[in-house]
Amino acid sequence: MITAPGELEIRAFPLVPPAEGWALLKVLASGICGTDLHTFRGEIRQYVGTPHERTISYPVICGHENVGTVAALGGEVLDAEGRPLRVGDRVVPGANVACGRCPSCRARLPYYACERLEDYGNSLGADRPPHLFGGWSEYMYVLPGSRLFRVPEGLPDAVAALAEPMAVTHGLEHVEGGVAGATVYVLGCGPLGACHLVKARAMGAVQVYVADLRPARLEVARRVGAAGAFLVGSTSEDDRLAAIREATDGRGADVVVEASGSPDAFREGLRALRFGGTLIEVGAFVGSKPATVDLAADICLRDVRVLGVGGEDDAAYAPTLRLLAARWQELGVGELVTDVLPLARAAEGIARAASGRAVKVQLVPDAGE
């Protein structure tokens, strides 16, 4: 658990039978997300500048990219498709629990507009009984109303735990004209950028280019099919844009995914787009900085579409798991999980995730020393 900025502690809590409608999962794997790094650093104001701004409190057991097996049930608990769960079923729990009743939920706005949102490893603090609400733990309680998605047989735990960040790639499904046959440019090739690379390839993108500050991440991107990988700092923005235009007969990228949260990358992404292209902004969450753009030259007079994505789409989990089950080996998805560590080495896992040398770091309770 994170007890204060920069402070980790291992603590034991008693396991109690799950209450009516609750479930208890034995955690198999849990990813370290950029949100978790913000929490560890003390950057706990979320959704800043919106009506649903909030501040996360300590202590908290992080971990919302989870896969586990059902260890106990409080009566009948249904999976996301309405089928009764049984002890031993392997599931991915949806990371967020929207109330379904507030005006935002009734208007079918994204989960993060919910007025009573709860989310695992985040808003659900470890000071609230039964305490175990995050995946960086041996066991995890699941609230009534949570959506539990069955994991297809044969899908490795490490890949199944990528379902949550892969579900954040739903912006690609809203690109006008689709992604098949498109040229895609991904700025920032950490976990989210890498997931967009994989998803764009799965959707039939003809070529995907990536840019990042870290050579190790670019090497992973090449292994999972990037047509080109630009090391920021060793290449100039003009060099990168020239390469994109050369690859597209001067038109520019059909789709740009800005996954770094950098204002400079946002501006570069707009410049890289073709006329009528789509930019998906998915990298900004906590502590983002304003980006200065020329509204006419960069957006309006080029008919550019900008799509902001603040999190995953609940409806994307099941198709994501089916996609992973069918094509994870072909797409090289396992390459994205670069580090697997036991809970006792969580501090090392956080350091690796923050260093940029890793893509996705996961914690596994029984990984051993």
Side-chain angles (χ1 to χ4, degrees):
M1 64 197 317
I2 301 176
T3 56
E7 295 184 11
L8 286 174
E9 179 180 322
I10 294 178
R11 187 178 299 178
F13 291 100
L15 283 181
V16 298
E20 184 69 24
W22 291 58
L24 176 67
L25 304 184
K26 179 175 174 54
V27 178
L28 298 172
S30 182
I32 296 179
C33 173
T35 304
D36 304 323
L37 299 180
H38 286 300
T39 300
F40 183 70
R41 291 192 291 258
E43 299 160 354
I44 53 177
R45 291 179 63 209
Q46 299 179 346
Y47 309 117
V48 176
T50 70
H52 40 281
E53 181 176 329
R54 67 184 184 184
T55 300
I56 301 303
S57 61
Y58 302 105
V60 61
I61 301 169
C62 283
H64 57 269
E65 302 173 3
N66 303 315
V67 60
T69 54
V70 176
L73 295 164
E76 184 176 72
V77 178
L78 306 180
D79 68 12
E81 296 179 345
R83 299 172 296 175
L85 287 164
R86 299 286 183 264
V87 171
D89 286 341
R90 192 164 57 124
V91 296
V92 166
N96 307 283
V97 189
C99 74
R101 302 183 302 277
C102 70
S104 295
C105 287
R106 292 199 302 272
R108 298 182 180 276
L109 296 179
Y111 70 86
Y112 43 88
C114 174
E115 295 175 4
R116 292 181 285 272
L117 176 68
E118 298 283 20
D119 36 24
Y120 296 103
N122 204 16
S123 71
L124 289 161
D127 53 348
R128 294 169 55 177
H131 309 292
L132 303 174
F133 291 119
W136 298 3
S137 178
E138 293 176 295
Y139 290 88
M140 172 183 166
Y141 286 95
V142 178
L143 280 66
S146 301
R147 289 170 63 78
L148 294 160
F149 301 89
R150 293 177 188 264
V151 178
E153 234 178 283
L155 188 63
D157 295 335
V159 178
L162 292 173
E164 193 273 345
M166 283 292 294
V168 183
T169 66
H170 60 92
L172 289 169
E173 296 163 12
H174 299 287
V175 172
E176 187 173 338
V179 176
T183 293
V184 179
Y185 183 26
V186 179
L187 291 136
C189 207
L192 267 185
C195 285
H196 279 81
L197 161 60
V198 167
K199 180 69 168 290
R201 288 188 57 231
M203 293 176 68
V206 68
Q207 51 189 356
V208 184
Y209 291 86
V210 300
D212 200 281
L213 289 161
R214 289 95 170 181
R217 287 180 170 177
L218 295 179
E219 180 55 38
V220 172
R222 292 187 186 95
R223 293 204 297 268
V224 295
F230 307 120
L231 181 61
V232 177
S234 295
T235 58
S236 71
E237 178 178 331
D238 286 342
D239 290 339
R240 296 189 291 273
L241 296 178
I244 296 292
R245 293 192 185 102
E246 182 179 356
T248 57
D249 295 325
R251 293 187 306 275
D254 301 290
V255 181
V256 168
V257 178
E258 199 299 289
S260 73
S262 162
D264 292 337
F266 181 80
R267 287 190 296 269
E268 178 176 336
L270 287 174
R271 290 183 65 198
L273 277 176
R274 66 164 171 80
F275 186 94
T278 299
L279 185 146
I280 300 170
E281 174 55 56
V282 71
F285 181 63
V286 174
S288 62
K289 298 177 181 178
T292 302
V293 300
D294 186 323
L295 296 179
D298 292 337
I299 298 177
C300 296
L301 298 181
R302 297 176 56 234
D303 199 29
V304 164
R305 292 153 180 80
V306 177
L307 173 61
V309 174
E312 81 274 12
D313 182 352
D314 219 29
Y317 277 94
T320 290
L321 286 165
R322 289 194 293 269
L323 169 67
L324 292 174
R327 301 181 64 186
W328 72 273
Q329 290 175 301
E330 169 204 343
L331 294 168
V333 182
E335 296 277 359
L336 305 189
V337 182
T338 52
D339 300 79
V340 178
L341 298 170
L343 288 174
R345 294 169 62 190
E348 180 183 345
I350 290 172
R352 289 192 192 186
S355 72
R357 293 190 296 272
V359 176
K360 176 54 65 180
V361 181
Q362 292 180 349
L363 300 178
V364 179
D366 59 356
E369 297 295 336

